[in-house]
Amino acid sequence: MLSKKCKYAIHALVYLAERYQEGPVHIQEIAEKKSIPKKFLEAILLELRNAKMLHSKKGKGGGYYLYQKPSDVNLMDVIRLMDGAIAMLPCVSLNYYEKCEECRNEKTCGIRDSFIKVRDQTLEILGGATLDKIMKREKALGAK
Amino acid sequence: MLSKKCKYAIHALVYLAERYQEGPVHIQEIAEKKSIPKKFLEAILLELRNAKMLHSKKGKGGGYYLYQKPSDVNLMDVIRLMDGAIAMLPCVSLNYYEKCEECRNEKTCGIRDSFIKVRDQTLEILGGATLDKIMKREKALGAK
DNA sequence: GTTAAATCCTATTGATTTGGTAGACATTAA
DNA sequence: TTAATGTCTACCAAATCAATAGGATTTAAC
C-alpha cells in the first residue's frame, strides 16, 4: 500500500500540474484544496523540491511550481521517491536492491521470478502514468 | 514490500510442498531448515492452518502438512492472507476495499485507473505462481 | 528599513505495525 | 505415564508512519 505521504504527494503534483505555468502556488492553497495537513505537506513539497520535481520561490508571493512539464513527471518516480522500492521483494528491486536474508541462494530461488515479472509490469504501467494523462482522464471523467 | 511474516510463510509452504504426502513435518524442522525463528513460525503456521492451507496433527509425531495439492496453492492467496491487500490503493482493492480519504470523488479520480491495471497484472502473475511451479523452477535452477 | 508573507529546517510526539518471545495448556503416541 | 508436539494468550521492543511545534530565513511591498 502507498503511504499517505505518497498519496498526498501525488495529489499535490496533480494540483500543480493543473496550475502549470501560472506562477508559484503556495502551500496553504494546496493544503486547503486537497485537504492535506499543511505542516505535513510542507515536508512533502520540500522533498519533491530537493528531488528536482518542483521549484520553489521563497518569501512573499512565493510558492511551489512544477520543474518539468506534466508529461515528464510520472507516478513511478514519485512513488520511488516517497515510499522507496516498488518491487515486492528487496532482492528484485532495481533501485533499492538488497539481499534477501531468507534466500540461501538467489540464483536458485524459485520465487524471485514471479516478483520480477510483477515488478516489470508495474514499472511499465506506473512509468507511463504521467501527470498530463492523469489530468486528461479527470477531465474526461467529468471532474470539476 | 512483503513483510517477513509473509516471506516466512511462502518459504514454509514451499518446504511443505517438497514433503507433500510424506506425513506431518514438525515446526522445529521447518524452522531450522529455513532459518525462521521457531516461535514466530508457530504463529504463522497456525494462521495458515486456520485459513485451510495447512492441516496439523497434534501430539507426538505430529506436525504440519499441506491441505491441498501444491498446484492449488498460489502466492496471491498467501500474500493476501499474511499481508492483506495486494493493490497499492485501498480504493482499488478487490478483497480489502476501503474508500480513499484523499479522493473527493472516486468516479472522477484520475489516478485510480493506473492502479487498477497494476492490480490486475499483479493478481494474474501471483495467482499463477503455484507451489508446484516454484518447486519445478528451483529444481531447474539447480537448487539442492 | 520595516513588516508581512512565505518557504526552510530541526526536533519531537503519539499511534500503529512489525518482528519476536514467554509460558502455560492440550493432545497424542509409545 | 511421559515425552513430544501443536495451541493459545499475553507481552514486549524497535521501527515506521502521520502529524505537529516552533523558529530561522528569505523576499516583496510599503
Side-chain angles (χ1 to χ4, degrees), chain B residues 77-126:
Chain B
D77 295 335
V78 180
I79 294 171
R80 275 183 173 153
L81 184 66
M82 294 289 120
D83 285 357
I86 285 172
M88 299 179 85
L89 290 179
C91 67
V92 303
S93 171
L94 295 175
N95 285 246
Y96 298 83
Y97 172 84
E98 271 179 66
K99 203 158 171 289
C100 250
E101 303 167 33
E102 291 77 30
C103 291
R104 215 162 300 272
N105 184 346
E106 211 169 88
K107 296 276 182 296
T108 62
C109 174
I111 71 171
R112 294 181 76 240
D113 182 65
S114 299
F115 290 103
I116 288 172
K117 283 182 193 152
V118 169
R119 178 202 68 193
D120 288 340
Q121 291 282 358
T122 303
L123 290 183
E124 186 168 335
I125 294 165
L126 296 180

Side-chain angles (χ1 to χ4, degrees), chain B residues 26-27 42 46 49 56 58 63-64:
Chain B
H26 39 253
I27 299 179
E42 221 178 276
L46 209 49
R49 172 186 159 280
S56 65
K58 285 184 188 174
Y64 283 95

